[in-house]
């Protein structure tokens, strides 16, 4: 069977122009192992982007596979309203040891966007049940991304995803800042005083009393191009939110589970959010699951007699799925037992050094920024002015194609190419990936 022909007959793939498949058909992946994917001819590709940032410990990890196989013979799924099971309970016991202190209650969803929807509704209902009925707005940061359902788009700021749908979206407050590479105050990420925070202060002055919650991607704005910003910004946001009675929603869907070097990225700032959303790495990239973690205070605002109608009436069919929960527990146990985060930090230091040696001096590499194992290379037309390439040149996309020819999955975000590998990737594989990445960049932009 010609699988590609059959694919094109039936399948509408996510987040791509399907016409591109005429020149760059989908790559048929047959099997996978660790950081490697293999096509039907056995050609190997290094999955340096962890398959959309979710594959945490490599593909087809034997222990995770085993946990899944064991669970599937016991209980594959059960309604989670009025029912419970061991995989979910065990997962919460483990998760409680990892999340910032203060987060003790866990509400299950089945993907990142749905957990953001859940967090928005939970915070809105909480404020109302506390009598704060004037609060109807949400705040978010420029170039933020929280998923692609309508509610999640409404608290995102990326026109690429949201522009067309604005008539369908909620009015929210977006404030500026966080493009540390092109800082409009002329400051440098590591030494600035978060001058851009004044935009948040102005927004709170005007809208703080009408605002339910502010939502933020902590430290790392992934979809914006792996933008990295100082923890001080989060400390100030926590303090400002407290001052105005606004809840802080911490979207750790991309940044959580060790991606930035700490278990959750907000730990860099040493503050606790009111609500934390986690997904992606939670199940090691195996199965769709998300969890909204929150405080006793929020939970208690919903806890009352049936007739008060204070219950949180929000559900997803696959909430708490036992297969996903057993896999997530296996992931956490491996993270703890093998001290994966410590290992990953050594690997990250190595990657920083080697990537800078390989590409730091390239004429079109504007910045190599990194946090944890996440390393992003921003490609620019002019290094001095930081001017971007014209979008229609699709530089990142051409590099992606060249890298695929060479055996590296380097799917870009515009002209930002990045490494966001499994946390247990070894140095030899990274060395290989760096060589392939450099070659693909040079294929398109010269030496
Ligand atoms: C920060 C952040 N929030 C939310 C989402 C949405 O998650 P999902 O794609 O599972 O709906 C993503 C996905 O990349 C994300 O990076």
């Amino acid at each position: 069977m010609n699988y590609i022909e059959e694919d094109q007959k039936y399948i509408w793939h996510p987040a791509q122009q399907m016409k591109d498949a005429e020149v760059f058909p989908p790559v048929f992946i047959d099997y996978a192992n660790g950081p490697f994917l293999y096509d039907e001819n056995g050609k190997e590709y290094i999955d340096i982007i962890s398959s959309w940032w979710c594959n945490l410990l490599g593909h087809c990890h034997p222990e995770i596979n085993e946990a899944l196989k064991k669970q599937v013979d016991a209980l594959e799924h059960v309604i989670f309203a009025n029912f419970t099971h061991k995989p979910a309970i065990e997962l919460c016991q483990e998760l409680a040891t990892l999340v910032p202190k203060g987060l003790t209650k866990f509400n299950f969803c089945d993907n990142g966007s749905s957990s953001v929807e859940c967090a928005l509704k939970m915070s809105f209902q909480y404020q109302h049940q506390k009598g704060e009925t004037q609060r109807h707005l949400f705040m978010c940061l420029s170039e933020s991304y929280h998923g692609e359902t309508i509610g999640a788009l409404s608290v995102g700021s990326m026109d690429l995803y949201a522009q067309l749908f604005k008539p369908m979206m909620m009015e929210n407050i977006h404030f500026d800042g966080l493009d540390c590479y092109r800082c409009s105050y002329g400051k440098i990420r590591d030494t600035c005083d978060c001058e851009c925070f004044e935009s948040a202060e102005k927004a709170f002055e005007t809208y703080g009393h009408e605002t339910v919650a502010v939502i933020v991607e902590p430290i790392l704005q992934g979809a914006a191009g792996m933008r990295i910003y100082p923890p001080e910004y989060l400390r100030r946001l926590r303090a400002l939110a407290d001052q105005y009675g606004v809840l802080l929603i911490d979207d750790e869907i991309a940044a959580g589970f060790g991606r930035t070097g700490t278990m959750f990225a907000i730990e860099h700032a040493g503050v606790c959010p009111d609500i934390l959303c986690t997904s992606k790495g939670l199940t090691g990239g195996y199965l769709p699951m998300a969890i909204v973690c929150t405080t006793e205070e929020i939970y208690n605002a919903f806890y009352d007699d049936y007739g008060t109608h204070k219950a949180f009436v929000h559900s997803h069919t696959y909430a708490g799925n036992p297969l996903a929960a057993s896999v997530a527990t296996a992931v956490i146990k491996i993270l703890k037992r093998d001290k994966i985060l410590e290992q990953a930090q050594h690997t990250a230091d190595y990657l920083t050094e080697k990537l800078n040696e390989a590409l730091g001096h390239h004429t079109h590499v504007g910045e190599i920024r990194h946090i944890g194992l996440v390393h992003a290379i921003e490609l620019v037309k002019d290094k001095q002015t930081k001017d971007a390439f014209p979008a229609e040149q699709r530089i990142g996309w051409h590099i992606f194609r060249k890298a695929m020819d060479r055996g590296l999955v380097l799917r870009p975000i515009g002209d930002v190419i990045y490494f966001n590998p499994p946390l247990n990737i070894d140095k030899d594989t990274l060395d290989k990936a760096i060589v392939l990445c450099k070659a693909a960049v040079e294929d398109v932009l010269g030496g």
Side-chain angles (χ1 to χ4, degrees), residues 178 189-197 201 219 229-240 265-266 268-271:
L178 300 187
R189 187 186 289 116
D190 295 335
T191 53
C192 79
D193 194 27
C194 290
E195 282 76 1
C196 60
F197 195 70
E201 286 168 334
I219 304 290
Y229 64 91
E232 177 59 18
Y233 194 98
L234 287 173
R235 282 192 279 275
R236 292 204 197 164
L237 194 59
R238 174 72 279 183
L240 197 58
I266 202 157
H268 290 282
V271 296

Side-chain angles (χ1 to χ4, degrees), residues 53 111-113 116 145-147 217 251 253-254 280:
W53 326 341
N111 65 73
S113 304
V116 168
Y145 176 89
H146 299 288
E217 288 165 272
D251 177 351
I253 291 159
K280 290 194 189 275

Side-chain angles (χ1 to χ4, degrees), residues 98-151:
L98 300 185
V99 291
K101 267 206 172 66
L103 302 177
T104 51
K105 288 285 192 266
F106 305 110
N107 187 296
F108 286 77
C109 305
D110 46 24
N111 65 73
S113 304
S114 71
S115 73
V116 168
E117 299 286 338
C118 174
L120 300 179
K121 287 173 66 184
M122 186 185 282
S123 51
F124 185 88
Q125 189 171 340
Y126 166 79
Q127 295 282 19
H128 273 240
Q129 288 177 182
K130 264 185 46 193
E132 298 280 316
T133 50
Q134 82 287 0
R135 295 186 188 269
H136 61 108
L137 297 170
F138 288 88
M139 288 183 183
C140 59
L141 279 63
S142 59
E143 295 303 300
S144 56
Y145 176 89
H146 299 288
E148 291 172 40
T149 50
I150 294 299

Side-chain angles (χ1 to χ4, degrees), residues 67-371:
L68 181 56
K69 286 178 199 165
K70 210 169 138 200
Q71 184 55 42
V72 80
D73 281 332
L75 173 68
E76 86 303 346
H77 187 63
V78 64
I79 176 174
F80 208 46
N82 302 103
F83 291 80
T84 194
H85 48 77
K86 191 166 151 207
I89 295 166
E90 266 186 359
L91 171 57
C92 292
Q93 287 172 329
E94 289 291 347
L95 197 58
T97 67
L98 300 185
V99 291
K101 267 206 172 66
L103 302 177
T104 51
K105 288 285 192 266
F106 305 110
N107 187 296
F108 286 77
C109 305
D110 46 24
N111 65 73
S113 304
S114 71
S115 73
V116 168
E117 299 286 338
C118 174
L120 300 179
K121 287 173 66 184
M122 186 185 282
S123 51
F124 185 88
Q125 189 171 340
Y126 166 79
Q127 295 282 19
H128 273 240
Q129 288 177 182
K130 264 185 46 193
E132 298 280 316
T133 50
Q134 82 287 0
R135 295 186 188 269
H136 61 108
L137 297 170
F138 288 88
M139 288 183 183
C140 59
L141 279 63
S142 59
E143 295 303 300
S144 56
Y145 176 89
H146 299 288
E148 291 172 40
T149 50
I150 294 299
L153 274 183
S154 302
V155 290
S157 310
M158 297 188 66
D159 280 348
L160 171 67
Y161 303 101
Q163 183 65 33
L164 179 71
F165 303 104
K166 286 198 172 151
M168 299 169 67
M169 286 161 40
M170 302 180 278
E171 278 282 321
N172 284 315
I173 310 304
H174 300 240
F175 44 81
D176 301 331
L178 300 187
D179 185 359
C180 299
Y181 173 53
R182 295 187 177 84
C183 176
S184 45
Y185 295 81
K187 302 286 174 177
I188 292 167
R189 187 186 289 116
D190 295 335
T191 53
C192 79
D193 194 27
C194 290
E195 282 76 1
C196 60
F197 195 70
E198 67 176 1
S199 174
E201 286 168 334
K202 279 189 198 136
F204 271 80
E205 259 170 47
T206 314
Y207 300 105
H209 298 289
E210 291 171 82
T211 298
V212 173
V214 56
I215 182 165
V216 64
E217 288 165 272
I219 304 290
L220 176 70
Q221 288 192 302
M226 300 294 168
R227 289 185 181 179
I228 297 162
Y229 64 91
E232 177 59 18
Y233 194 98
L234 287 173
R235 282 192 279 275
R236 292 204 197 164
L237 194 59
R238 174 72 279 183
L240 197 58
D242 283 345
Q243 188 187 330
Y244 283 88
V246 169
L247 298 179
L248 177 63
I249 303 174
D250 175 23
D251 177 351
E252 298 263 1
I253 291 159
F257 276 87
R259 290 294 182 191
T260 71
T262 51
M263 189 57 73
F264 290 99
I266 202 157
E267 290 169 38
H268 290 282
V271 296
C272 183
D274 300 293
I275 297 177
L276 181 153
C277 299
T278 181
S279 187
K280 290 194 189 275
L282 171 68
T283 63
Y286 268 61
L287 286 164
M289 171 173 269
I291 300 185
V292 178
C293 316
T294 193
T295 60
E296 291 293 316
E297 189 188 336
I298 292 183
Y299 175 81
N300 285 335
F302 294 72
Y303 193 89
D304 211 333
D305 293 331
Y306 176 80
T308 60
H309 302 295
K310 285 187 179 170
F312 188 41
V313 187
H314 178 94
S315 57
H316 297 283
T317 304
Y318 288 102
N321 175 264
L323 300 177
S326 60
V327 159
T329 304
V331 167
I332 295 176
K333 286 185 173 163
I334 296 167
L335 284 177
K336 284 180 172 174
R337 185 197 63 202
D338 296 349
K339 300 192 171 30
I340 296 283
L341 265 59
E342 281 170 38
Q343 241 188 66
Q345 196 47 54
H346 294 301
T347 323
D349 294 341
Y350 180 80
L351 177 58
T352 307
E353 187 192 325
K354 295 292 170 187
L355 209 50
N356 275 291
E357 268 173 33
L359 279 161
H361 300 293
H362 193 283
T363 334
H364 293 293
V365 170
E367 180 178 57
I368 302 181
R369 49 183 173 263
H370 61 94
I371 182 123

